[in-house]
Every structure is written in C-alpha cells, then in structure tokens.
Amino acid sequence: MSKQKSSVLLGAAFLMATSAIGPGFLTQTTVFTQQLAASFGFVILISVLLDIGAQLNIWRVLTVSGYRAQDLANALLPGLGYMLAALVVTGGLAFNIANIGGCGLGLQVLTGMDTVYGALLSCGIALFIFWMKEAGHVLDQFTRWLGILMVLLTLYVAVSSHPPVMQAVQQSVWPAVIDTKAIVTLVGGTVGGYISFAGAHRLLDAGISGTTQIRFVNRSAVSGIVITAIMRVLLFLAALGIITQGAVLDSGNPPASVFRIAAGEIGYRFFGIVMWSAAITSVVGAAYTSVSFLKTFHPFIAANERWFISVFILFSTVVFVIAGNPVQLLLMAGALNGLILPVALAVVLVAAGSTRLLQHYRHPVWMQLAGWLVVLIMGYLGGITIADWVK
C-alpha cells in the first residue's frame, strides 16, 4: 500500500472521528456521566457496537458501488437522494452552529477573547483550509494531528481525576440504570447524520472504490470508531472521577469544570485546546460532508464546491453570532442526527441487496443483519425519544 493511500485511509478515519468529537460530544459525554455515573459505561459500550454496525455497512456499500450516498439513494428510488441530502444537511447545519460556538468558547478559555471574536477567527481559519491548493491533503493532516492532541490531553486529565475504573468496567456490562435517550444521543453524535458518511465520501473523493479496496475500507471505518471510542471513554473516566468525589459541575459549561477540577488551571487551559480542536475539526468535517451531499446534483455546485463550503461555514457563524450557543442545542443536535441514522442506513442496506447497483458484489449476510439490527434499535429508541419530547 502506497504512503499516499495510507495517508488518505488514516485521514478518512480521523475525519470521521473528529467530525464526531465536537463540542456536542464533550458536552453530551459530561452531562450523561453526571446523570448516570458509572452506568454511562454501558451506554458507551452499546453505542460503539451500534456505531460499528452502521459504519461498516455504509462505508463498504458506498465505496464498492462508487456512489455517494445521495446518488445511491436516487439510483434506488428517484427523489430519495434529495430527501436524504435534505436530512443530512439540516443535521449538519444544526451541529455546525454549535461547533462554531465551541471554537469561540475554546479560544475564550485560552486567550480571554470574546466568544464572538473567537468564532469569527475560527471561521476564517476553516475557510483558509478549504482555499489552500492541496485542500484534501491539508484536511487529512489537520484532522489527524488535532485528533491525536485531543486524545493525549484528555488522557492526562482522566489520569488526574483518579476515576473508579473497576466500577466503570463492572457497570459497563451490568448497569444500575439504562437510559435510551442517552444511547440515541450518543449514536447520533458519533455516526448519525453527516458523520457516518464523512469518511466514505472522503475515500470516494480520493478515488478509493471497488471490491479490491474492501479490506482497506473496513480498516479505516473501524479505526474511526476506535479513535472516537477512546476519546469518549477517557472523557467519561475523567468526569466520573470528579463526580464520585462529590464535585459539582458548572451547568453552563460542564466539560470545562471536569478539566479544571481534575487538573487545576493547566487542566482548564487544556480544555480550551481540546474544545477548540474538537470544534474546528468538526466545522471542517460538517461543511465538507454536507456539501458533498449536494455537489453531484448539479455541475455548478461541483465546480464551485469551495464556495458552497464557504457559505455553509459563514452561515453557521452568522447564526451563532445572532442566536448564541446554549448547551441544550448541543444535546438536541446529537438526538436529531440519531433520528436520521436509521433512515440513512436503511437506504444503504436496501441498495446493498440490489444487483443492478452493486453488480457482482454480494454484501455479507451477517453485515446486513447487523445493519438492520441497528436500524430497528435506533428506530425504536428514536420513537421513544420523540415521545418524550412530545410530552
């Protein structure tokens, strides 16, 4: 395998992972740990299993067929791709508004800069990345190194908080309480909406497709989930250590409290770096993937992809500046994308059984069963979540 191909595969994994690890990810993990304590480990375990079932199916079917998700859906049923694109772009936009806010918050912690100015500066950095000559390569490197930095800093804080590891392991298998809303929100925040397609679309843009690439695609997809899971577990342990010591977290910024209480002022500065890194990589991931759902609909969009990405980022920034960034928006965005997942995955699985679309490829039965299981579970849990909202 060439160095360039290896870089693209790893870059796709980190693009998916860092798209998932945004401000919402940090907030969701901390808030649910505060609510469920060690039982949140079970939610993480179930969500990782569901994530793998979703990711392997989506990445494999798209790269084997050579179709992006919206084109595969339209080929399956004319008009279906437009509906899927509308759902994904809407979910991506909801996340991106919060992501821009996270950028401002991260820079405020680091420099004392007003969150609005921090958001505007980060918007400029994101635009700069996409307007560079080798934007794809820069995107791969940017998400990879910031992803590694986030994991290392969070590891330091997790160790500093002295979490009850054995209790967490025990309740990951036998929880004291099970929260279905937390599962929907976590899966939605990890592989829901645009996130599950980020890496697959990046591989297609890099020319990696066909049955000969299956093992590489599988490796890249699972790597993305593993990276995300490591970050989730470390943040969970950091928060759990603080909570079991009786500390009270700031409701306005729960994850910042975890970092500060666990490691003092240096921990608080680390939070600023982690928050900004998580937010800016999610901004570029959401913008890139959301526009990738539109660019095949018309040659004008494809020819002006960078302009459309720029408008997406600028619009998200303007909405944040006007409306702000409440913690509730971060939780709602994850749940929204969790509701999109069963619809998107069902479309991919139906297409996987079409010999017209996938020609001589036969999608493994065990993988189809795993995928439909994810659809059923997320559809059921999503229905419960909607019912709770209605109440």
Side-chain angles (χ1 to χ4, degrees):
M1 183 168 53
S2 69
K3 185 177 180 180
Q4 181 180 6
K5 182 177 178 180
S6 178
S7 177
V8 169
L9 290 168
L10 188 58
F14 269 100
L15 177 63
M16 174 265 141
T18 55
S19 292
I21 304 170
F25 179 101
L26 301 178
T27 302
Q28 292 158 12
T29 303
T30 308
V31 168
F32 285 129
T33 302
Q34 190 175 19
Q35 294 173 357
L36 304 174
S39 293
F40 185 57
F42 176 78
V43 175
I44 295 175
L45 176 61
I46 295 300
S47 68
V48 168
L49 295 175
L50 294 174
D51 293 345
I52 292 174
Q55 284 289 85
L56 282 177
N57 276 289
I58 291 173
W59 286 41
R60 189 156 170 165
V61 172
L62 294 189
T63 53
V64 166
S65 68
Y67 284 111
R68 288 172 181 79
Q70 70 275 17
D71 299 325
L72 186 69
N74 271 339
L76 184 66
L77 179 65
L80 186 60
Y82 297 108
M83 184 195 78
L84 179 61
L87 288 172
V88 170
V89 172
T90 300
L93 191 60
F95 253 132
N96 223 37
I97 295 167
N99 292 337
I100 286 291
C103 289
L105 180 60
L107 289 182
Q108 182 185 54
V109 170
L110 278 175
T111 67
M113 182 186 301
D114 186 87
T115 54
V116 171
Y117 294 122
L120 292 172
L121 175 60
S122 301
C123 171
I125 293 172
L127 293 175
F128 177 73
I129 290 170
F130 284 110
W131 282 98
M132 294 186 72
K133 185 176 180 181
E134 296 290 337
H137 176 69
V138 173
L139 182 64
D140 291 341
Q141 297 298 317
F142 185 74
T143 54
R144 180 192 306 181
W145 291 112
L146 286 188
I148 292 171
L149 179 62
M150 284 190 286
V151 169
L152 293 176
L153 293 180
T154 308
L155 172 62
Y156 174 83
V157 174
V159 172
S160 300
S161 75
H162 306 292
V165 176
M166 291 310 299
Q167 182 185 356
V169 171
Q170 179 187 351
Q171 294 208 32
S172 294
V173 180
W174 195 262
V177 61
I178 298 175
D179 189 324
T180 56
K181 183 180 178 181
I183 295 173
V184 172
T185 303
L186 248 67
V187 174
T190 309
V191 295
Y194 75 93
I195 298 169
S196 55
F197 301 100
H201 281 199
R202 173 70 189 112
L203 293 180
L204 289 173
D205 281 346
I208 296 176
S209 62
T211 55
T212 58
Q213 306 297 322
I214 286 177
R215 64 190 181 97
F216 301 117
V217 172
N218 288 346
R219 187 189 308 167
S220 184
V222 173
S223 295
I225 294 295
V226 169
I227 294 164
T228 310
I230 290 171
M231 183 67 180
R232 179 88 72 184
V233 169
L234 291 176
L235 186 57
F236 159 59
L237 290 175
L240 184 62
I242 295 305
I243 291 166
T244 53
Q245 293 171 27
V248 178
L249 303 184
D250 176 12
S251 60
N253 194 349
S257 297
V258 170
F259 278 70
R260 188 170 222 161
I261 296 170
E265 278 305 306
I266 189 171
Y268 187 58
R269 302 303 173 188
F270 280 0
F271 167 75
I273 298 172
V274 170
M275 174 60 87
W276 185 81
S277 300
I280 193 69
T281 52
S282 293
V283 166
V284 298
Y288 169 82
T289 309
S290 296
V291 172
S292 77
F293 268 83
L294 303 175
K295 69 180 183 181
T296 57
F297 290 153
H298 196 281
F300 177 78
I301 301 176
N304 296 278
E305 181 180 5
R306 293 184 183 187
W307 283 107
F308 277 87
I309 289 174
S310 299
V311 169
F312 188 90
I313 294 172
L314 286 168
F315 181 77
S316 302
T317 305
V318 170
V319 172
F320 165 72
V321 170
I322 295 173
N325 180 34
V327 169
Q328 190 62 29
L329 175 62
L330 296 169
L331 298 174
M332 289 286 287
L336 172 63
N337 279 281
L339 299 176
I340 294 172
L341 177 62
V343 177
L345 182 55
V347 170
V348 170
L349 290 169
V350 172
S354 171
T355 54
R356 174 175 61 87
L357 297 177
L358 272 70
Q359 299 178 356
H360 303 296
Y361 171 73
R362 294 292 180 271
H363 199 50
V365 174
W366 72 267
M367 201 172 285
Q368 293 186 57
L369 292 175
W372 282 115
L373 184 62
V374 174
V375 171
L376 290 173
I377 292 173
M378 289 302 295
Y380 172 72
L381 297 181
I384 293 176
T385 302
I386 291 173
D388 287 342
W389 284 349
V390 171
K391 291 177 184 178

